[in-house]
Amino acid sequence: MNEETIQTIERLLFEKALRYADLVECFKKERACLTSLEIESLWAVAEEKNRLCAQIEALRSRIALAGSAGEGATVYDPHRILDATPAAQRGLVRNILVRIQKLKKEAEIMRQENRAFIDDSLDFLDEMISILSGEGDAQMLYNSRSRLRRPESLITLSREV
């Protein structure tokens, strides 16, 4: 790869790392909205997350295109990009790629935590509605592993949010 291509890839990778950092911040905002029940703000955060994901995907395509440099391969492969980078610039590219991986993992963990929070909250509300509607009077049962489990509710709340 020539110097100009390397600089373009470095710039695009750095931009991608910034978008992932913004995405992590969105998940933090989402958690705050969930705990304070700010539904309107939650919709705004969801739109921001969608916008950031689209930008990340566009950057991924641009990096793949820049990394192919006329070779015809337009698949984003960080290892191939790192291997094609001259040794002098390889350290910076590796650092950015490691940062991106770290941010991706952090975003995935936060996404899973927020989803679990939503599921737990909806299960709690579902159980409360069952109790208030008189459906919560069923007996507690043991499952196949001899663990106490609650009977399933007939009411299920939408998990759209």
Side-chain angles (χ1 to χ4, degrees), residues 117-149:
F117 182 84
I118 291 168
D119 287 343
D120 290 345
S121 298
L122 290 176
D123 288 343
F124 173 77
L125 289 174
D126 194 24
E127 188 174 325
M128 291 303 295
I129 290 172
S130 294
I131 290 170
L132 293 173
S133 67
E135 293 179 20
D137 295 336
Q139 296 290 334
M140 294 288 191
L141 302 172
Y142 285 95
N143 64 13
S144 62
R145 293 186 163 170
S146 298
R147 292 189 181 148
L148 189 62
R149 72 168 176 85

Side-chain angles (χ1 to χ4, degrees), residues 9-31:
I9 290 173
E10 286 175 356
R11 182 181 51 78
L12 291 172
L13 286 172
F14 185 72
E15 204 172 316
K16 187 176 177 182
L18 290 176
R19 293 302 157 262
Y20 271 112
D22 292 343
L23 189 60
V24 167
E25 287 302 313
C26 275
F27 281 113
K28 289 178 182 176
K29 287 180 199 174
E30 181 181 61
R31 184 58 177 246

Side-chain angles (χ1 to χ4, degrees), residues 28-43 45:
K28 289 178 182 176
K29 287 180 199 174
E30 181 181 61
R31 184 58 177 246
C33 291
L34 289 170
T35 55
S36 62
L37 296 174
E38 296 176 17
I39 303 301
E40 288 299 319
S41 298
L42 190 60
W43 287 113
V45 170

